[in-house]
Amino acid sequence: MELSIQELAVLTGVTSRTLRHYDAIGLLPPSRIAANGYRHYDQGALGRLQRILLLRELGLGLPAIAAVLEQETSPAAALRSHVAWLRTEQKRVARLIVSVEKTITAEEQGEAIMAQDMFDGFDHTQYRDEVEQRWGKEAYASSDAWWRAQDAAGQVGWKEQVAALNHDWITAFSSGVSPESDAAQELARRHVAWLRSIPGTPAAKAASAADVRGYVLGLAEMYVADERFVANYGGAEGAAFVRDALTAYVEREFQG
């Protein structure tokens, strides 16, 4: 199957101008250019565009998308990582839909609705008891205050950052690299930096390298033991990959 640039624009909603820009920056070259100068795209190019659009849905910019595609070992492995992320999002969105539908029904029938039903899927406090048990009430209170201080754009941006990080972990694991590889260790660096950016977490207020190391190592083990985290990383093997990469990183970078 081969499509002209005009046919591809109509099919996908991606403008011809955008497709030409993708070509200019090396992100999506056409499979061939006809004698009349028109760009044409074969099955491989269409698959690459599909992955580009999926990564855009995650909020990644074009340079980040190019970096992800550069690391791919096979289109099928990359798509499996996308599917894992989409299934996680599917479950979250399904909860949001049910929550809103319950509210609509209650409004139309003049009934009261339980707050926990109204905000299911939105609530960032669902792990409050667990956080307080593991790291203390102060840790939760600080993180909660920081979150509530964010405006809508800040909260959305933070969620996109988390989704992109989870996706990159799945992509790295699917590509077959080792936890000690440069690619995995860069993800581990990003992950620890993200943890340390959240006020109230033990990593953010850690007084020593040993404190950071202990906190991250504990979380890394939880990523494997807790099925909620396992789902974030595409399954048990993916979660183990994240654990091993984080372990290697903090054991090297946070000594003492």
Side-chain angles (χ1 to χ4, degrees):
M1 180 175 65
E2 185 180 76
L3 298 177
S4 69
I5 189 171
Q6 292 87 352
E7 291 171 330
L8 186 57
V10 171
L11 178 66
T12 64
V14 179
T15 66
S16 298
R17 180 179 180 180
T18 297
L19 291 170
R20 288 193 292 270
H21 176 62
Y22 287 173
D23 179 20
I25 64 175
L27 187 61
L28 181 68
S31 51
R32 72 179 180 91
I33 299 179
N36 59 7
Y38 284 6
R39 294 168 170 81
H40 292 263
Y41 299 83
D42 62 11
Q43 187 73 36
L46 299 184
R48 185 176 176 88
L49 178 59
Q50 181 189 46
R51 299 195 296 282
I52 291 169
L53 297 180
L54 284 169
L55 291 168
R56 282 181 55 188
E57 286 292 323
L58 285 172
L60 270 66
L62 296 183
I65 291 174
V68 170
L69 295 179
E70 181 68 24
Q71 296 175 8
E72 289 182 357
T73 56
S74 76
L79 288 173
R80 278 194 292 271
S81 72
H82 296 321
V83 168
W85 179 84
L86 289 170
R87 284 177 175 159
T88 300
E89 276 297 285
Q90 183 182 44
K91 293 177 182 178
R92 185 185 67 82
V93 172
R95 289 175 58 203
L96 294 177
I97 291 172
V98 170
S99 172
V100 174
E101 287 179 339
K102 285 181 179 179
T103 302
I104 292 172
T105 300
E107 289 284 346
E108 291 177 343
Q109 298 180 0
E111 299 176 348
I113 182 171
M114 297 294 290
Q116 59 264 37
D117 292 331
M118 182 179 293
F119 295 105
D120 184 40
F122 296 93
D123 187 13
H124 71 284
T125 67
Q126 58 182 309
Y127 302 124
R128 175 174 183 170
D129 292 342
E130 184 173 347
V131 171
E132 290 184 345
Q133 182 179 3
R134 287 179 179 274
W135 297 297
K137 291 185 177 181
E138 182 183 350
Y140 176 81
S142 297
S143 296
D144 181 62
W146 166 79
W147 177 257
R148 294 181 186 277
Q150 303 293 309
D151 59 17
Q155 292 182 356
V156 169
W158 188 85
K159 290 179 179 179
E160 289 178 346
Q161 179 186 8
V162 175
L165 183 58
N166 290 349
H167 178 273
D168 289 352
W169 275 121
I170 295 173
T171 298
F173 169 69
S174 300
S175 72
V177 300
S178 73
E180 295 79 17
S181 67
D182 290 344
Q185 288 301 290
E186 171 59 18
L187 279 174
R189 184 199 64 76
R190 283 173 52 194
H191 197 104
V192 173
W194 164 64
L195 291 172
R196 302 192 75 187
S197 72
I198 306 170
T201 65
K205 63 180 183 179
S208 69
D211 291 336
V212 177
R213 185 174 68 252
Y215 171 63
V216 175
L217 290 177
L219 272 181
E221 290 298 335
M222 192 165 65
Y223 291 165
V224 177
D226 192 318
E227 63 183 16
R228 294 169 301 178
F229 290 109
V230 168
N232 287 340
Y233 302 118
E237 292 184 356
F241 174 83
V242 175
R243 177 200 60 196
D244 294 345
L246 287 172
T247 298
Y249 178 78
V250 297
E251 291 286 12
R252 183 183 68 249
E253 298 295 330
F254 293 91
Q255 300 179 5

